[in-house]
Amino acid sequence: MPFIRTNVPHHLSAQARQCIVQAIHDALVSSIGMPADELFNMVASYQPGDFACSRTFNGVVRSEEVVVVEITLRRGRSDAMKRALYEAIACNLQSAAGVNPADVFIFMHENDYSDWSVGEGRLAMGLVQNRGAGA
């Protein structure tokens, strides 16, 4: 179950934010096989001056409209899967929300089942994995 934190420029509409959330979710489903019902994305906005970043780091020319995607998930994805995920997120954000791929900044934290509690105050690995409503 990935947990996503997405930081977007403050002026984006609720509709644009929802498109961004869906674009990231679709990339997770298509590129790393995440189940479609595992959607957890906390969206926050930042004001001008709240996010300082190099506009040219590593040869990528960024605007002031950077979308920061922080992904926390269980370990086990190969570098090839991560590469496909990053590419899918950038592509989906461009097509769904008009975000320039140069303005997509992604980073990942990996951990284990014992690092999660997804309900009832119990370790995630102690809960039966249910799929969807009424499962």
Side-chain angles (χ1 to χ4, degrees):
M1 179 203 90
F3 183 85
I4 316 303
R5 295 180 74 80
T6 306
N7 292 279
V8 300
H10 76 285
H11 62 79
L12 292 184
S13 68
Q15 180 181 1
R17 291 171 196 227
Q18 184 54 45
C19 288
I20 288 170
V21 166
Q22 192 62 51
I24 294 167
H25 183 69
D26 290 347
L28 287 157
V29 171
S30 68
S31 62
I32 66 169
M34 185 184 79
D37 70 338
E38 290 187 14
L39 171 59
F40 298 92
N41 191 323
M42 177 74 66
V43 179
S45 63
Y46 63 88
Q47 297 287 330
D50 285 346
F51 176 54
C53 72
S54 169
R55 300 284 181 234
T56 58
F57 175 73
N58 217 19
V60 177
V61 179
R62 292 167 194 81
S63 75
E64 294 183 7
E65 302 290 311
V66 175
V67 172
V68 180
V69 181
E70 179 180 1
I71 303 169
T72 303
L73 74 168
R74 286 182 293 112
R75 15 189 139 270
R77 277 60 177 207
S78 67
D79 286 350
M81 291 175 83
K82 292 175 188 177
R83 187 176 298 110
L85 173 61
Y86 300 157
E87 290 173 2
I89 289 172
C91 180
N92 288 2
L93 287 178
Q94 183 177 35
S95 17
V99 177
N100 183 334
D103 288 334
V104 179
F105 187 90
I106 305 166
F107 62 101
M108 187 176 293
H109 306 280
E110 293 180 302
N111 55 32
D112 297 310
Y113 270 120
S114 62
D115 297 311
W116 295 85
S117 175
V118 297
E120 300 177 356
R122 295 170 45 199
L123 286 176
M125 62 187 180
L127 296 173
V128 175
Q129 293 291 308
N130 294 312
R131 296 287 179 236

